[in-house]
Amino acid sequence: MAERRLLALCTLLALVASLFLLWNLRAPYAFLLTLRAEKLAALVTVGAATGAATIVFQTIAANRLLTPGIVGFDSLFVFIQTALVFTLGAAGHATLSPLPKFLGEALCLTIAATTLFGLLLRRGAGDMIRMLLTGVILGVLLRGMAGLAQRLLEPSEFAVVQQAVVASFNVVNGGPLGIAAVTLALALAALWHMGPVLDVAALGRDRARTLGLAHDRVVFTALALVAVLVSVSTALVGPVTFLGLLAASLAHAAVPDHRHRLLVPAAAMIGAALLVGGQALFERVLGLQSALAIVVEFAGGLLFLLLVPWRDAR
Amino acid sequence: MIELDNLTVRRGATVALDGISCRIPEGRLTAIIGPNGAGKSTLLHAMAGLIRPEAGRVRVSGLDVAQARERERARLIALLPQSNAAVPRLTVRELVAFGRWPHHRGRPRAADRRATEEAIARFDLGPLAGREVETLSGGQRQRAFLAMAYAQETPWMLLDEPLAALDPRYTRDIMERLRDISGERGVLIVLHDLSIAARHADWCVALKGGKLQAAGPKDETLTSARLSSLYETPLRVARIEGRAVVIDAA
């Protein structure tokens, strides 16, 4: 049954993607199709990366209310943008070449996250709570530093920072997108390969170790993949904190199974379908009256508040 | 045989196990008893290789567990920890099948499926095999986890308080099943109910404050004097209808 539902999700994503590409398509067809296809690829990449990363993170943390954002990815991204504008100025920030900027940000986020995971998990994955709390505190620290720097900026520079830290799918450059898409494909393939191992890890550290799983190594590898996925997605368009929670919760509801070889693709497809469908609605019906990221964050935040009192976290 | 040689385990500033040396024979049901904080769970975890000892050695069937690879250990020792929290959506059959992981590492074969079904049958879980573990009662859930440990087909099964929160019917049911199994595998079980230990165990290991107080055949270790000293309260081993029971003599 779960496999059939996964197939249905695949069909749904194909439908939504076709709708995004073809709805209200006018001449010049080739130009518009290329433009839409590039945006579609960005939406799918970000949605899939966020959904897949969240499912894996929730398994490792043994908590279905958490998203990788809790360890401070968003705050670090805000800090990087603020630091760039602070040091280079608004004009300097605007002239930064997209590809090196994307690579630098993605690398910085990945290194920061894997260092945090590596340092804090050295004493064993039993220290997950310590890792999460350290992430939260580091996030607050980075936000505080970014806030301080923002107060010292000119109003025009502050506006540039504000624009840079809200996820936007309207302008996505081809170079970074290609790298992000390839990275996503590789990370998803690695997660697919790890699927049965993640199923065992979900039983808990002691139980997994008694079954012969090198649990701490598996946890670190999984978290490193999560770091890569979230870093690439954040560096590409900006932070979308609650999209993962939305995608993971819907994946658990849509595919009632514990196997990660089904759950990870399900969350990836739902994350992609949410973004593609939402963007289609915003562009074609609402005439870009608001930013999709803000609505996604609002819906995800609302879901989080609903999940906290009503559902068992595991 | 499990051989403990001067086993010392430290947890932070506390010495959880202090120079424990003893031999536990295979093919028996061994009860590990002692008051709260005696180090019973720590001892099981150290035997299973989940805790690295500060000093000393644990050899299980000749294998030094601290030096062994995870997979080697998992083919030798099945440990059932205290917590039996289940993954959502996991059915009983899928849970039991996890016991085969050390043998197939994600690629189950016909022999693994056979062993899973055998474990399900052994613990009478057939009618529950398709049910989600989360929907089971405490006793049924414990049986499912025991079946998973059984499916691991290891020469040793280490069980950390598997009878906690079970009613007398499930307690008897599980102990009788474990008695049967102990004929073919070594079963070590942490017990708080001394009458259960007196009735079902062949061998006993008594701990207090991380130190070994006694290890040997049940009749030699479960005596009124030793139990009273172990728990610091008057206890008496009596016989009622031919069965040994431990009663509060205060």
Side-chain angles (χ1 to χ4, degrees), chain B residues 169-184:
Chain B
R169 180 172 63 105
Y170 278 121
T171 299
R172 185 173 50 80
D173 175 68
I174 284 178
M175 284 313 295
E176 282 173 2
R177 288 173 201 277
L178 293 176
R179 257 241 68 88
D180 284 350
I181 292 169
S182 69
E184 51 197 80

Side-chain angles (χ1 to χ4, degrees), chain A residues 64 193 196-197 199-200 202-203 206-215 217 252-253 255-259 312 314, chain B residues 45 49-50 70-71 74 77 79-81 83-84 86-90 94-95 98-99 101-102 105-106 145 148 152:
Chain A
R64 287 196 184 175
H193 180 70
V197 171
D199 296 344
V200 179
L203 293 173
D206 275 355
R207 223 177 274 288
R209 289 180 70 205
T210 62
L211 291 174
L213 192 75
H215 186 262
R217 200 169 61 218
H252 282 299
V255 180
D257 205 288
H258 71 99
R259 284 172 292 172
D312 177 14
R314 267 190 75 87
Chain B
H45 281 70
L50 299 189
E70 286 97 349
R71 192 176 179 184
I77 307 153
L79 170 72
L80 189 68
S83 152
N84 61 3
V87 176
R89 312 284 195 196
L90 191 68
E94 287 166 335
L95 176 77
F98 272 124
W101 175 266
R105 310 288 289 179
F145 277 99
M148 174 184 149
Q152 218 169 318

Side-chain angles (χ1 to χ4, degrees), chain A residues 245-312:
Chain A
L245 184 70
L246 211 55
S249 300
L250 290 172
H252 282 299
V255 180
D257 205 288
H258 71 99
R259 284 172 292 172
H260 285 81
R261 281 196 170 164
L262 298 175
L263 284 173
V264 171
M269 283 192 280
I270 289 174
L274 278 173
L275 282 189
V276 176
Q279 188 72 12
L281 208 67
F282 264 87
E283 285 186 7
R284 319 286 191 269
V285 179
L286 302 173
L288 290 171
Q289 288 299 305
S290 177
L292 171 63
I294 294 170
V295 177
V296 167
E297 296 299 75
F298 177 72
L302 214 58
L303 177 74
F304 178 78
L305 290 175
L306 284 172
L307 286 177
V308 171
W310 295 112
R311 222 164 94 177
D312 177 14

